[in-house]
Amino acid sequence: MIYIATHKAFNPPELEGYRPLQVGASTHPELDLGYLKDNSGDHISQKNPNFCELTGLYWIWKNTNDPYKGLVHYRRYFGKSNFLHSPSAIYPYDQMLTFLDNCDIVLPYIEYFKQDAREEILISCCTPEIFEKLRQVISNLYPNYLSNFDQFFKNNQSTLFNMLFAKGSLFDSYCEWLFSILFELEKYVDLSKLDPYRSRLYGFLGERLLNVWVLHHHLKIRHLSVVNTESSFRQECVFLRRRITNQIVFKCSSLIKAGKDK
């Protein structure tokens, strides 16, 4: 099953194997969208303002036994092109299954930053103190992941959106790793000191940590385009130009830095 995280009413794609999941349901008990809710069973729905769609990820992990599990968004789906916006461009569930015949996990396309991943997340999503505490938590809990953590954050490539599709056992294994880290980090973070955007901290960190986990396990990845049903062709052209520019800027910066280090 592929679950569609949403916090509002929308028009779900008419595709078998997809189910809407209302995230943050505990924070808005008055809102009943008629979908599955992330505040039943074992859940962390109340953490949604800071964990974003990860409260849905947690719910899927703890409350489903699907042989294959996936998470997408009410406006973002795995599909045929970043430049298409019609629900008809979304890959049906049966086709998503065929992708796993030749890979371990399906992830979104690779995004390129003009800074390395550490500098990028510090710009608006995290603080240096929290980042260093995150690294320390990983060092304490999973020291064999530390080199992968450093490797990822020194580069400028990342998949984003907390979107994935994999066998249920692999999906659950990732969740167990991810939430053990985030719950430990929570003990050291005072969210009241963060602005509203940065307070979505754990959702942002989840996006990056998925890359670290995949890197550590040497997983074979199928990167797919993301169909954004609320975007436009013009907006996607702007995003594409930004990605290309970022690659050039990062490459030039790396060459300059390498020259200075000689």
Side-chain angles (χ1 to χ4, degrees):
M1 186 65 66
I2 297 176
Y3 296 87
I4 310 170
T6 185
H7 63 280
K8 65 179 185 178
F10 73 112
N11 293 319
E14 296 181 0
L15 295 170
E16 291 187 11
Y18 284 79
R19 292 193 70 179
L21 173 63
Q22 183 179 340
V23 296
S26 287
T27 62
H28 296 284
E30 77 288 352
L31 184 62
D32 186 356
L33 301 177
Y35 309 141
L36 289 173
K37 295 183 178 182
D38 71 348
N39 64 345
S40 62
D42 188 345
H43 70 87
I44 56 168
S45 180
Q46 72 283 356
K47 295 179 183 287
N48 183 260
N50 314 117
F51 278 69
C52 308
E53 61 277 344
L54 294 185
T55 63
L57 190 78
Y58 183 93
W59 186 90
I60 298 167
W61 168 38
K62 290 294 188 178
N63 298 282
T64 69
N65 294 306
D66 305 313
Y68 297 89
K69 299 183 182 184
L71 179 66
V72 295
H73 304 169
Y74 68 94
R75 62 190 175 107
R76 292 192 182 102
Y77 305 84
F78 293 113
K80 299 173 184 178
S81 171
N82 292 330
F83 298 97
L84 297 177
H85 314 291
S86 169
S88 63
I90 300 169
Y91 283 125
Y93 183 77
D94 287 347
Q95 190 163 1
M96 291 293 293
L97 287 177
T98 66
F99 294 139
L100 292 180
D101 290 340
N102 299 304
C103 72
D104 300 307
I105 190 169
V106 174
L107 297 176
Y109 61 84
I110 298 173
E111 182 64 274
Y112 294 89
F113 308 130
K114 63 182 177 181
Q115 308 90 0
D116 62 46
R118 180 183 182 279
E119 292 179 12
E120 187 276 334
I121 199 171
L122 292 180
I123 290 174
S124 59
C125 304
C126 188
T127 68
E129 295 77 17
I130 293 174
F131 183 86
E132 291 307 314
K133 181 56 68 173
L134 171 64
R135 188 178 185 278
Q136 182 180 334
V137 166
I138 291 177
S139 178
N140 292 340
L141 295 181
Y142 303 102
N144 55 333
Y145 280 78
L146 198 57
S147 62
N148 307 113
F149 179 90
D150 292 338
Q151 179 184 352
F152 167 74
F153 279 104
K154 287 178 181 177
N155 212 324
N156 76 321
Q157 302 177 23
S158 179
T159 59
L160 299 173
F161 311 134
N162 286 314
M163 291 171 55
L164 69 155
F165 181 64
K167 287 184 177 179
S169 57
L170 193 69
F171 185 103
D172 292 349
S173 178
Y174 164 62
C175 289
E176 182 176 7
W177 177 84
L178 173 68
F179 288 106
S180 66
I181 292 170
L182 297 184
F183 292 161
E184 181 65 19
L185 181 63
E186 276 189 297
K187 300 174 183 178
Y188 307 100
V189 175
D190 183 354
L191 291 171
S192 68
K193 295 182 178 179
L194 303 180
D195 61 47
Y197 188 75
R198 287 179 190 257
S199 68
R200 297 160 58 189
L201 174 71
Y202 300 106
F204 295 135
L205 294 181
E207 290 180 292
R208 279 71 177 180
L209 289 175
L210 175 56
N211 294 267
V212 175
W213 184 79
V214 167
L215 186 63
H216 178 81
H217 289 279
H218 306 287
L219 298 184
K220 187 174 181 181
I221 307 166
R222 176 69 179 263
H223 291 285
L224 295 180
S225 297
V226 173
V227 172
N228 189 330
T229 57
E230 295 189 358
S231 185
S232 67
F233 180 80
R234 181 175 181 179
Q235 287 173 317
E236 292 302 336
C237 288
V238 172
F239 292 151
L240 176 61
R241 183 173 63 183
R242 184 192 68 188
R243 293 174 196 127
I244 294 173
T245 301
N246 287 351
Q247 291 183 63
I248 294 172
V249 170
F250 182 78
K251 183 65 174 178
C252 292
S253 299
S254 298
L255 290 174
I256 293 172
K257 184 176 184 297
K260 289 181 178 180
D261 290 342
K262 286 185 179 179

